[in-house]
Amino acid sequence: MRMLRWAIFAVVGIAGAGLAALYFIPAVQDRVIAGIIDDAFSRQRDDLVGEDALRVAICGSGSPMSNLERSPACHLVFAAGKIFVVDAGPGSWMHVTRWQVPQDRVAAVLLTHFHSDHIGDLGEVNLQTWVAQRPQRLAVYGGPGIDRVVAGFNEAYAMDRSHRMAHHGPEFLRPDLGEMEAHLIAAPDGTPLRGDEDAVVYDDGALKITAFAVHHDPVVPAYGYRFDYRGRSLVFSGDTAKSDSLVRHAQGADVLIHEAMLKTTVAEMEAAAARHGRTPFAKILHDIPDYHASPRDAAETAAEAGVAHLVLSHLIPPLPHWLGARVFLRDTGVGQVDVRLGYDGMLITLPAGSKDAVFEDLGR
Ligand SMILES: [Zn+2]
Ligand SMILES: [Zn+2]
């Protein structure tokens, strides 16, 4: 007993001395900070771009509604040694920077549509990957209107580019790689994809990316994307109400990342906003349910398409605590589909030559 008491005194004494040294002695503080910095720089996630699997990370699982837990729409797809960004919602890219993803591997951005919660960080994606020494111009794919969006961001960041080139030198920040390049996805006559229409965006023999129309009217163009790589498949719904085109294009997919709006709660929010004189907010809440899908709609779509794993993302409204998550998922029991709530930092790995899906947390 006596020995134990002395041991406890010794441990507490050493810990206390250590904390005091950390708090009061600059040399100790500098040493600890240097260790933290060295550790951070040693952890670049080159493993994520390995060609052994199709991977996706969620860098934004939220919507335009203010939510400190969830950035607006953003996803990274890792395939064929490259990174493809599906939507770049405002503030979402900070996750990617913190995860130590090799940003020079970003090959393209694919925009589902041009609502602000899907494009706000486009300038940051371009800037950060340029600084990371991306070896080609950043290709940005989208429906008709993509040239205006890309030209607008290029112009908005023109002063920033000139400042940085002046400071770091044009050998390091190559002027020819600084501006993004627009790539149109459209029907053969140049109009937006509609109904069941689709278009192959990329095909190198191993990786195929297909864009298809979804139903977000009056927002046109509005697209979803399907990735097929080494026998594994991943589909993004984009923003959509329940859509036959999505069911068709998600057939047999391993993972479907689907937007979802809890419409009963949105109706409660509309009534509360009206009661308290928040008329503009009530108007928006009244208008939005008709172009989004409920969790039940998403689950039915996944079941009809024979999808193995459904991940709900672009969640409306925010879910501030566990009760919201319970309510969000309670009507999603349809067929054999594994249904999960997506979150910022969710990483899904689909190894080639298997049926496995490995879910991990990259942190926020
Ligand atoms: Zn939208
Ligand atoms: Zn949206």
Side-chain angles (χ1 to χ4, degrees):
M1 198 60 195
R2 207 182 158 93
M3 282 290 286
L4 179 64
R5 201 176 304 142
W6 276 110
I8 291 171
F9 277 143
V11 168
V12 171
I14 290 167
L19 277 175
L22 190 60
Y23 195 81
F24 290 110
I25 304 174
V28 175
Q29 296 164 353
D30 292 346
R31 188 67 184 266
V32 169
I33 288 170
I36 292 170
I37 291 170
D38 189 72
D39 181 58
F41 275 89
S42 70
R43 283 190 285 128
Q44 177 157 289
R45 294 297 306 267
D46 292 318
D47 57 308
L48 295 173
V49 288
E51 297 183 26
D52 56 323
L54 176 61
R55 293 182 175 83
V56 58
I58 299 180
C59 32
S61 59
S63 73
M65 285 190 197
S66 174
N67 186 347
L68 292 176
E69 300 295 314
R70 297 174 184 277
S71 294
C74 174
H75 315 86
L76 302 184
V77 179
F78 305 90
K82 298 182 172 70
I83 302 173
F84 298 85
V85 182
V86 177
D87 288 333
S92 59
W93 204 252
M94 65 180 176
H95 292 313
V96 180
T97 302
R98 208 165 41 248
W99 294 335
Q100 316 263 20
V101 170
Q103 296 195 36
D104 57 320
R105 301 290 195 95
V106 172
V109 179
L110 304 155
L111 297 178
T112 58
H113 62 300
F114 304 135
H115 266 151
S116 60
D117 54 316
H118 298 254
I119 67 170
D121 251 6
L122 189 55
E124 286 306 296
V125 178
N126 188 49
L127 167 68
Q128 299 278 356
T129 56
W130 182 45
V131 170
Q133 304 296 295
R134 166 176 39 73
Q136 73 290 315
R137 286 176 80 180
L138 183 62
V140 185
Y141 291 83
I146 188 66
D147 53 341
R148 291 181 63 192
V149 172
V150 168
F153 273 99
N154 280 338
E155 179 58 23
Y157 276 68
M159 290 296 288
D160 175 272
R161 283 195 303 279
S162 69
H163 295 325
R164 291 184 197 279
M165 284 187 288
H167 192 192
H168 302 292
E171 302 78 25
F172 179 69
L173 290 179
R174 283 177 48 184
D176 56 321
L177 304 182
E179 288 195 358
M180 292 177 275
E181 192 172 81
H183 290 256
L184 175 64
I185 304 170
D189 64 359
T191 59
L193 300 175
R194 291 272 206 173
D196 260 1
E197 290 178 330
D198 56 27
V200 174
V201 177
Y202 182 96
D203 191 353
D204 66 3
L207 169 66
K208 183 177 173 188
I209 307 173
T210 309
F212 54 91
V214 291
H215 185 66
H216 197 39
D217 287 7
V219 179
V220 178
Y223 297 163
Y225 292 99
R226 178 179 179 121
F227 288 71
D228 288 281
Y229 180 62
R230 301 194 61 190
R232 307 308 304 267
S233 51
L234 165 66
V235 175
F236 296 94
S237 72
D239 281 13
T240 186
K242 197 152 189 264
S243 154
D244 292 340
S245 169
L246 177 56
V247 172
R248 195 163 77 81
H249 287 93
Q251 281 300 316
D254 293 301
V255 173
L256 170 60
I257 296 184
H258 199 305
E259 69 118 279
M261 170 187 277
L262 194 56
K263 298 187 180 185
T264 48
T265 307
V266 169
E268 290 287 350
M269 292 168 70
E270 179 195 343
R275 275 198 304 277
H276 295 286
R278 304 276 300 275
T279 313
F281 199 36
K283 160 72 175 158
I284 297 285
L285 290 164
H286 175 79
D287 290 347
I288 56 178
D290 69 350
Y291 69 1
H292 288 293
S294 68
R296 178 77 183 189
D297 292 334
E300 287 176 359
T301 295
E304 287 167 33
V307 165
H309 303 277
L310 170 65
V311 176
L312 300 179
S313 195
H314 194 281
L315 304 182
I316 307 173
L319 308 176
H321 48 68
W322 65 268
L323 183 58
R326 284 287 298 167
V327 175
F328 216 95
L329 287 173
R330 70 184 174 194
D331 285 331
T332 57
V334 184
Q336 301 298 308
V337 186
D338 167 44
V339 185
R340 297 166 189 249
L341 275 187
Y343 60 87
D344 294 15
M346 178 183 259
L347 170 68
I348 309 167
T349 300
L350 303 172
S354 100
K355 282 275 153 207
D356 294 347
V358 182
F359 290 79
E360 294 171 87
D361 185 2
L362 284 168
R364 286 198 301 122

